[in-house]
Amino acid sequence: MSDPTGFLEIPRQKTAYRPIKERIKDWDYIGPRTLPSDQNAQQARRCMDCGVPFCQSDFGCPVHNVIPEWNSLVSSGRWEEALNRLHATNNFPEFTGFLCPAPCENACVLNRDGQPVTIREVELAIIERGFESGLVKPVLPRQERRERVAIVGSGPAGLAAAQELRRRGFQVRVYDKAEKAGGLLRYGIPDFKMAKYVIDRRIEQLQAEGVEFNLGVNIGKDVSIIDLQRDFDAVLLAVGAESARELPIPGRDLAGVHLAMDFLTSQNRVLNGEIETAAINAKGKRVAVIGGGDTGSDCIGTARRQGATSIYEFSLMPKPAKDRAEDTPWPLFPMTLKVSHAHEEGCERLFGVMTTGFSGSEGHVTQLHAVECEMIDGKLVQKSGTEFTLDVDLVLLAIGFVGVNPKIVDVTPGLVKRPTGTIAGDANCMTSLPGVFVAGDARRGASLIVWAIAEGRRSADAIERYLHQ
């Protein structure tokens, strides 16, 4: 720690988003990437000698970033050393820097007073400065190994495992069904949250390190897992949890009612230059987003930029409190009201609402039917007499995910799926098939990007142990 009283003297300062009227007119990142270097160094000085750094515990950081160490290095201007310490635990700190909800800041001791260190922004400043200074370079293995590893899925878990294994000398090939690598980072995350060049520059680094990419290959259809098991010494399934939760209510089959990820992927493919027009477009439409999580927020921001006339967000649960509840004491992650940048851009939020059906005209949705509900003895109960109808043209279902695509398991004899929809794996990430491993959302269920990176690194360790038995 370079400044033992910094947290007492320096107020917390975050970067501000671009003005709403400006940013909703484009698909560019919603704000400046970081504060100027001198201001970030000053913010890093707020990191205190707390004795037990909860920020890097399981409460705060699944990859166990040594946050106090690189904060101290940044505060004293030793940016390159800070970059080395950051990369020692996180393969892609720019992914987490742009997209992670920062549980590390929630676990920061200073957050007991609601003024945590700006950990996520300092992290992003370190890696962005590293790229700008040419310090992020390919790292070649010291020796080549003959064992070959196939990785299915090019999201953060698959990419982290690929980099770790390749740097240890293994021959690594990544398969993905999409035209470009990146998984949901590319096709699920809107550009206004993270520009796709951020992914491209890492893919270029991985290729320079010797990782091979086979894109446009649908595992389970074009190539089977059994084929990979035969041709490679180990296989890692990092296929995500892309099977969306459905809403089986009357009118679900009407045109205009879509899964959120279909909507987001369509727009991202337009921005990627893969297609000319989005198959699902909110321009001039009254939009209802069902689901109050990050995916719902992404739908709101996307619909706003496409030109929706009105946007409503429906949340099944009651409106969260603004302050931390007693059942989520620090350093646990609190269930408090969150206002995202997309909410600020304009939408009406309704809490404690259960959607009961849709109705339409000529096969297209025109109305959403709902009722207010409340939590009684741990169960959601409809409130009699609160039924209402909303005129809509487009409905987006953003109510979570229920595991991996079932087709992958169905066409793979012997591969076991848990009741949760994820692929079963033991303590060493091994599935029920010898030499076939699983990591990321495919093992844990839909989770944070930082957990995906941690899973990728962990699975790489397990694969290395397996191959060197």
Side-chain angles (χ1 to χ4, degrees):
M1 183 178 62
S2 60
D3 188 346
T5 61
F7 70 97
L8 296 172
E9 301 165 354
I10 303 169
R12 174 180 163 91
Q13 181 183 5
K14 286 176 60 67
T15 55
Y17 295 142
R18 290 189 290 139
I20 292 174
K21 291 184 178 180
E22 171 190 317
R23 69 184 193 240
I24 63 173
K25 295 179 181 178
D26 59 48
W27 298 93
D28 296 339
Y29 182 57
I30 55 177
R33 289 176 293 179
T34 64
L35 294 169
S37 294
D38 59 338
Q39 293 182 39
N40 262 310
Q42 187 179 49
Q43 287 299 299
R45 287 173 54 200
R46 298 185 66 244
C47 189
M48 61 188 292
D49 188 7
C50 57
V52 179
F54 285 92
C55 60
Q56 64 185 59
S57 70
D58 286 337
F59 287 116
C61 185
V63 294
H64 297 161
N65 279 334
V66 285
I67 295 165
E69 290 187 30
W70 44 255
N71 269 326
S72 179
L73 291 166
V74 166
S75 69
S76 57
R78 297 155 66 186
W79 288 87
E80 185 172 356
E81 292 177 65
L83 177 64
N84 292 336
R85 296 302 296 135
L86 180 56
H87 266 150
T89 54
N90 188 348
N91 297 74
F92 314 119
E94 65 276 21
F95 296 169
T96 49
F98 277 111
L99 300 171
C100 187
C104 52
E105 293 186 21
N106 178 75
C108 176
V109 173
L110 289 176
N111 195 43
R112 297 183 68 180
D113 294 323
Q115 295 295 313
V117 176
T118 54
I119 299 170
R120 185 186 63 80
E121 293 197 13
V122 174
E123 175 184 45
L124 184 58
I126 294 170
I127 184 59
E128 288 297 286
R129 185 182 174 107
F131 273 108
E132 291 166 4
S133 303
L135 296 174
V136 183
K137 301 176 181 179
V139 178
L140 301 179
R142 294 183 179 180
Q143 63 177 15
E144 294 289 346
R145 298 178 178 178
R146 63 175 179 79
E147 296 94 342
R148 303 172 70 233
V149 181
I151 296 177
V152 183
S154 65
L159 294 179
Q163 187 169 72
E164 287 295 307
L165 289 166
R166 178 61 196 139
R167 288 181 175 183
R168 300 174 197 185
F170 296 102
Q171 311 306 308
V172 179
R173 181 177 296 174
V174 177
Y175 291 86
D176 200 287
K177 64 182 179 182
E179 297 177 36
K180 296 183 180 181
L184 288 187
L185 285 175
R186 183 180 298 279
Y187 292 99
I189 301 296
D191 281 36
F192 55 77
K193 287 180 66 175
M194 188 180 76
K196 300 306 182 284
Y197 77 85
V198 176
I199 306 170
D200 293 336
R201 65 190 182 187
R202 280 297 186 182
I203 299 301
E204 291 172 4
Q205 181 193 33
L206 287 164
Q207 289 175 322
E209 292 176 350
V211 176
E212 298 179 19
F213 287 87
N214 275 28
L215 303 177
V217 178
N218 198 328
I219 300 300
K221 181 179 180 181
D222 301 324
V223 178
S224 72
I225 293 174
I226 304 303
D227 291 335
L228 297 180
Q229 192 180 21
R230 179 194 63 225
D231 297 338
F232 290 83
D233 298 288
V235 178
L236 173 63
L237 304 179
V239 294
E242 62 178 9
S243 185
R245 179 174 285 108
E246 267 290 358
L247 189 61
I249 58 176
R252 167 62 184 91
D253 58 342
L254 288 169
V257 182
H258 301 276
L259 296 174
M261 202 51 64
D262 292 341
F263 173 65
L264 295 173
T265 298
S266 177
Q267 179 59 46
N268 279 324
R269 292 189 66 203
V270 171
L271 296 176
N272 284 341
E274 298 178 24
I275 57 177
E276 292 186 5
T277 58
I280 309 169
N281 200 305
K283 185 176 182 179
K285 295 179 180 178
R286 300 161 296 183
V287 180
V289 177
I290 300 177
D294 289 341
T295 302
S297 175
D298 292 345
C299 287
I300 293 167
T302 300
R304 175 60 60 208
R305 285 160 179 76
Q306 287 183 342
T309 57
S310 61
I311 305 174
Y312 296 84
E313 182 188 61
F314 287 73
S315 295
L316 188 63
M317 302 302 292
K319 185 176 182 178
K322 292 184 178 180
D323 300 320
R324 184 188 292 271
E326 291 183 0
D327 59 353
T328 54
W330 176 89
L332 298 179
F333 202 86
M335 298 301 294
T336 54
L337 180 65
K338 296 176 178 60
V339 180
S340 73
H341 58 87
H343 294 138
E344 294 173 347
E345 292 165 4
C347 77
E348 184 173 339
R349 305 178 72 183
L350 291 84
F351 294 92
V353 172
M354 181 182 297
T355 305
T356 56
F358 308 106
S359 58
S361 175
E362 298 181 354
H364 196 285
V365 66
T366 58
Q367 289 187 321
L368 178 152
H369 306 280
V371 61
E372 294 180 14
C373 59
E374 58 185 338
M375 188 71 72
I376 299 178
D377 296 330
K379 296 182 179 181
L380 282 170
V381 179
Q382 297 183 15
K383 298 168 68 173
S384 179
T386 64
E387 296 83 0
F388 67 94
T389 299
L390 179 71
D391 292 336
V392 295
D393 306 299
L394 175 63
V395 178
L396 303 172
L397 306 181
I399 51 180
F401 301 88
V402 292
V404 302
N405 186 333
K407 294 179 181 179
I408 294 176
V409 179
D410 293 344
V411 300
T412 308
L415 188 62
V416 176
K417 184 172 68 173
R418 295 191 182 97
T420 57
T422 58
I423 296 173
D426 63 18
N428 292 313
C429 305
M430 179 89 79
T431 70
S432 51
L433 299 178
V436 179
F437 297 77
V438 61
D441 289 359
R443 193 184 78 90
R444 286 180 54 85
S447 188
L448 304 178
I449 286 173
V450 66
W451 266 113
I453 295 173
E455 286 270 308
R457 293 171 63 88
R458 177 187 176 193
S459 64
D461 292 340
I463 290 171
E464 182 177 35
R465 290 193 299 269
Y466 169 77
L467 293 177
H468 288 170
Q469 291 183 52

